[in-house]
Amino acid sequence: MLKLSSSAPLKGEILIPGDKSISHRAVILGSIAKGDTRVHGFLDSADCRSTIDCFRRLGISTESVDGDPHELIVHGRGMHGLCPALPYVEDSHVTLYTGNSGTTTRLMAGILAPQSFASQIGGDASVNSRPMKRVMEPLRMMGAQIESVQGNNCAPLLINGSSLHGMSYATPVASAQVKSAILLAGLYASDAVTVTEPSKSRDHSERMLTAFGADVRASGNTVVIRPADELYASEIHVPGDISSAAFFIAAALITPGSEVLIRNVGTNKTRDGILRVAKAMGADIEYVSSADAAEPYADLLVRYSHLKGTVIEKDLIPALIDELPVIAVMGAAAEGTTIIRDAAELRVKESDRIAAMAEGLAAMGADVTTGPDSMTIRGGAPLHGSLIRTFSDHRIAMSFAVASLIASGDTVLDDERCVDISYPAFFGDLAALQR
Ligand code: S3P
């Protein structure tokens, strides 16, 4: 339980910790590449540690440079260097435990399917209730032997390594996790693999695979990967996570008098939807500096703004999928109505984020209605503190910490430690801007 209350203007600057998606991928590709991969700006959080733990059980070692957990070396063993994992001691169901990380679970399925050994992989109650058919189906089309242990299309998964062949596949949902699982398996296939998505999801895998020497070509919403003999170690610079920056962008925009310099924000075009939405809502966000790298990033100066409602839908959804909870908070603080639609994916994240946001915002006095894939927030109602159920979902907890800044009375989060999943220093960083 954590008690929060309304805030004075937020002032100062904040350095955003590393991107979670990119950090996972650096460990995964570093592990199956030949040689030592150096990762700068690695996100040291529970989810990324789950990926490291899985690879450790598969025979990969990693080390922090000079004891700094954000500077990581992955000692890769090549594409065929993984060893079968030993039984997991604390949880008898799985040999590879992925904690709360859907990204680890789904991407690992793509890596494990073509190995010469069997694996069992699963995570906590949240991960084990999330849909896995979306990766099982395309991997099976490539020849993978992959079963849901409980027969419910969820993890734990039993994967018997087998040889894979090429295919052309259209994914029913725009999901970088599904696309990435297929591309990773495609490295080991006998022929080219083509994936087409209904809308373009984040392209970190494509960018990083190229850096490791894979033959990946993207055109529109289609990506083609050709089988690789070997990948080669690389040096990866991880920018700050825009999904973490989002909480401070929203906090500065809605808290009167605020002015915050948010440094090291990843601005990859497949992730920057929140910046486009904020602009449409009338936000005052200035690019103070920006750098064009393999993964671009910028420093953003964000000032309190009088926000207006907007509509968020269609192809924009994958570019801000993880930011929708805090965008709903921005909608509650805005003048007019904010409509989020085409967002059914929010129902199958770490929690049902449509239900979780609607429940908490309504408890705080906001006017919210929901549909199967939508939320409508009629902004402007004054917010008051309440007891908030986070459903142990890190992004729900951080979204309501932002809402508490403009609420009268105390807001109490039922579980604040869930922020460790993606942003262990979140509450300290927020407090530093309130001094
Ligand atoms: C992620 C992809 C997204 C996102 C998740 C991280 C990734 O999930 O919500 O937090 O790293 O590939 P989906 O692929 O299910 O949309």
Side-chain angles (χ1 to χ4, degrees):
M1 299 262 263
L2 179 70
K3 201 187 323 180
L4 301 159
S5 47
S6 68
S7 177
L10 303 179
K11 298 275 183 191
E13 62 176 71
I14 173 171
L15 182 66
I16 297 299
D19 186 281
K20 183 156 79 68
S21 292
I22 300 173
S23 296
H24 282 301
R25 286 158 172 80
V27 174
I28 294 172
L29 292 182
S31 296
I32 59 164
K34 258 198 147 94
D36 290 350
T37 287
R38 173 81 186 251
V39 190
H40 304 275
F42 181 73
L43 173 66
D44 180 34
S45 78
D47 258 17
C48 298
R49 281 196 291 272
S50 291
T51 298
I52 291 182
D53 286 348
C54 284
F55 278 100
R56 207 172 48 216
R57 301 186 63 74
L58 294 164
I60 300 295
S61 63
T62 62
E63 65 182 293
S64 327
V65 181
D66 299 331
D68 178 353
H70 311 107
E71 292 294 316
L72 190 75
I73 295 177
V74 183
H75 299 293
R77 289 171 47 98
M79 277 185 55
H80 302 281
L82 301 180
C83 323
L86 297 168
Y88 186 66
V89 245
E90 285 155 53
D91 181 331
S92 55
H93 297 301
V94 292
T95 52
L96 295 167
Y97 181 69
T98 59
N100 191 244
S101 178
T103 305
T104 310
T105 313
R106 294 195 177 117
L107 270 58
M108 291 296 296
I111 293 279
L112 296 171
Q115 299 300 324
S116 58
F117 52 83
S119 313
Q120 260 181 293
I121 184 165
D124 67 8
S126 157
V127 157
N128 289 353
S129 67
R130 297 179 65 184
M132 290 296 149
K133 194 172 169 202
R134 52 181 61 195
V135 286
M136 292 166 67
E137 210 161 66
L139 292 174
R140 279 181 184 150
M141 282 176 65
M142 296 174 71
Q145 293 178 19
I146 175 166
E147 298 296 334
S148 157
V149 172
Q150 317 277 359
N152 58 357
N153 286 321
C154 293
L157 303 175
L158 173 61
I159 302 173
N160 275 311
S162 58
S163 49
L164 304 184
H165 47 79
M167 69 160 179
S168 192
Y169 185 73
T171 64
V173 282
S175 160
Q177 293 178 357
V178 173
K179 174 176 63 178
S180 302
I182 297 169
L183 294 177
L184 291 168
L187 286 170
Y188 294 86
S190 55
D191 245 312
V193 169
T194 302
V195 195
T196 303
E197 301 187 279
S199 309
K200 194 172 171 69
S201 67
R202 62 191 67 188
D203 65 358
H204 305 304
S205 295
E206 295 90 305
R207 288 174 190 238
M208 204 184 286
L209 277 160
T210 305
F212 278 88
D215 182 350
V216 195
R217 290 170 211 197
S219 159
N221 298 348
T222 296
V223 186
V224 183
I225 187 159
R226 281 174 210 288
D229 292 328
E230 239 0 306
L231 298 183
Y232 297 96
S234 185
E235 185 160 1
I236 302 294
H237 293 266
V238 183
D241 199 326
I242 191 167
S243 299
S244 297
F247 301 106
F248 292 96
I249 294 171
L253 288 174
I254 69 170
T255 309
S258 297
E259 179 169 316
V260 181
L261 178 63
I262 306 180
R263 290 175 45 220
N264 188 34
V265 182
T267 50
N268 179 315
K269 285 281 163 238
T270 60
R271 294 285 299 282
D272 73 349
I274 186 168
L275 298 175
R276 288 182 258 161
V277 162
K279 196 167 168 216
M281 294 178 86
D284 180 353
I285 301 180
E286 201 180 308
Y287 280 66
V288 175
S289 68
S290 58
D292 200 13
E295 288 285 357
Y297 56 94
D299 293 345
L300 306 175
L301 183 61
V302 183
R303 296 189 185 91
Y304 167 72
S305 305
H306 181 82
L307 299 179
K308 305 182 299 284
T310 189
V311 178
I312 303 153
E313 60 182 357
K314 299 182 184 154
D315 287 354
L316 189 53
I317 297 293
L320 44 62
I321 187 72
D322 291 340
E323 290 65 78
L324 286 169
V326 82
I327 288 173
V329 174
M330 286 162 57
E335 180 191 328
T337 301
T338 294
I339 300 172
I340 298 167
R341 57 167 85 103
D342 306 321
E345 279 296 295
L346 280 185
R347 297 260 185 211
V348 290
K349 293 294 175 188
E350 286 84 328
S351 69
D352 176 342
R353 288 181 172 163
I354 291 182
M357 287 311 298
E359 177 181 303
L361 283 174
M364 295 180 79
D367 181 351
V368 190
T369 47
T370 64
D373 68 349
S374 66
M375 294 179 80
T376 300
I377 306 124
R378 281 162 288 274
L383 299 185
H384 53 75
S386 177
L387 173 64
I388 298 295
R389 288 203 293 166
T390 61
F391 301 91
S392 295
D393 180 334
H394 54 134
R395 300 202 202 284
I396 299 299
M398 290 187 274
S399 295
F400 283 104
V402 172
S404 79
L405 301 173
I406 55 161
S408 60
D410 292 335
T411 300
V412 179
L413 304 181
D414 68 349
D415 173 8
E416 74 284 5
R417 273 336 317 162
C418 57
V419 304
D420 288 351
I421 294 298
S422 62
Y423 198 159
F426 173 76
F427 291 107
D429 285 358
L430 181 59
L433 297 175
Q434 295 174 304
R435 274 183 218 121

